[in-house]
Amino acid sequence: MAAVAKGVVRVDVVSDTVCPWCFIGKRRLETAIRKFQGQKSFEVRWHPFFLNPDASKEGVNKIEMYNQKFGEQRVKQMIPMMMETFAKEGLNYSMEGQTGSTLNSHRLIALAGQQGLDKQDKVVEALFRAYFTEGQFINDKQVLLKAAEQASISGAEELLNDEDELKSEVLHEVKTLAKGVTGVPFFIIDGKHSLSGAQESETFVKMFEKL
């Protein structure tokens, strides 16, 4: 992992763009960081993880996939719970649309990271919103290009037209930084402290207070 400036708290987030708890974790992390405004500086970097490495590139119906994975009865219980959890963070939760491969979204996030952490954060936000609140397909080229435009990322179309660009870098990160990670989101604080799952914002606050 790259070095950060002295006095800056580095937060590395291992996440997948189709993981609802990763979006919730992002919101709770942001809430915690705001409490240190003027006291601490933070650098947040996003890293790839594949909940389903073999996910379809073409996409499958989101609800049908969840029913197959968890069972129809459990999904009926999960949806209201997720809607309530998202609502508490000021977000809409949609089960509409398709789900599928997240490789291209991670390549786009990697490209954004090369152009600045602010742009990377913006594209992660745009992708989460597209998938979870708007029911957009995460591997749709136009959805990815729109997210790139919202984050002012250059070279996105060239990236998506070349399926090999940044692919090896993403896969390498999955094998190295995400090695041993069994669930996401997974947070690494200053390279030595770790938190697993969408922690409450107060948990982050207590961790940051110790640094």
Side-chain angles (χ1 to χ4, degrees):
M1 294 186 288
V4 296
K6 186 177 180 180
V8 176
V9 178
R10 172 163 176 160
V11 183
D12 290 276
V13 189
V14 181
S15 128
D16 199 359
T17 46
V18 293
C19 162
W21 290 107
C22 294
F23 197 5
I24 295 299
K26 183 177 189 293
R27 274 294 174 276
R28 293 175 179 174
L29 173 65
E30 289 166 345
T31 298
I33 287 175
R34 282 196 297 272
K35 293 186 178 182
F36 292 90
Q37 190 170 6
Q39 303 174 46
K40 294 179 183 287
S41 297
F42 293 83
E43 283 190 3
V44 180
R45 300 168 188 262
W46 293 84
H47 305 277
F49 187 88
F50 298 120
L51 286 172
N52 182 4
D54 302 315
S56 166
K57 291 182 179 179
E58 290 73 29
V60 295
N61 181 274
K62 198 182 292 186
I63 292 182
E64 289 179 5
M65 185 279 290
Y66 273 102
N67 285 341
Q68 185 176 8
K69 184 175 181 179
F70 299 110
E72 190 172 341
Q73 191 59 41
R74 186 180 173 192
V75 171
K76 287 181 179 179
Q77 297 171 344
M78 287 168 56
I79 293 175
M81 181 194 73
M82 291 309 305
M83 290 178 70
E84 181 180 355
T85 302
F86 268 61
K88 287 180 180 177
E89 303 298 331
L91 298 166
N92 175 56
Y93 180 73
S94 172
M95 281 292 288
E96 295 179 356
Q98 293 182 307
T99 187
S101 172
T102 58
L103 175 58
N104 286 329
S105 67
H106 287 304
R107 292 199 299 130
L108 183 62
I109 292 168
L111 177 66
Q114 294 178 349
Q115 298 177 24
L117 296 184
D118 183 55
K119 289 187 177 184
Q120 187 180 59
D121 184 79
K122 286 180 179 178
V123 81
V124 169
E125 177 74 19
L127 290 168
F128 276 149
R129 282 190 173 275
Y131 183 75
F132 289 111
T133 73
E134 301 168 11
Q136 301 295 313
F137 178 36
I138 199 69
N139 199 38
D140 184 298
K141 183 179 178 181
Q142 296 308 312
V143 171
L144 294 166
L145 287 175
K146 183 179 178 181
E149 182 180 3
Q150 290 172 339
S152 301
I153 297 168
S154 60
E157 186 154 15
E158 292 81 355
L159 172 89
L160 296 172
N161 286 337
D162 181 358
E163 63 181 26
D164 291 325
E165 186 176 348
L166 292 180
K167 180 179 179 179
S168 61
E169 288 85 346
V170 168
L171 296 179
H172 177 72
E173 272 210 286
V174 171
K175 289 180 180 179
T176 53
L177 187 62
K179 185 179 181 180
V181 174
T182 57
V184 289
F186 189 84
F187 303 88
I188 304 167
I189 316 296
D190 273 351
K192 50 190 175 183
H193 308 287
S194 62
L195 292 169
S196 182
Q199 302 287 332
E200 294 293 337
S201 61
E202 193 57 35
T203 302
F204 289 113
V205 169
K206 290 178 180 178
M207 173 70 77
F208 297 151
E209 285 175 341
K210 295 176 182 178
L211 301 177

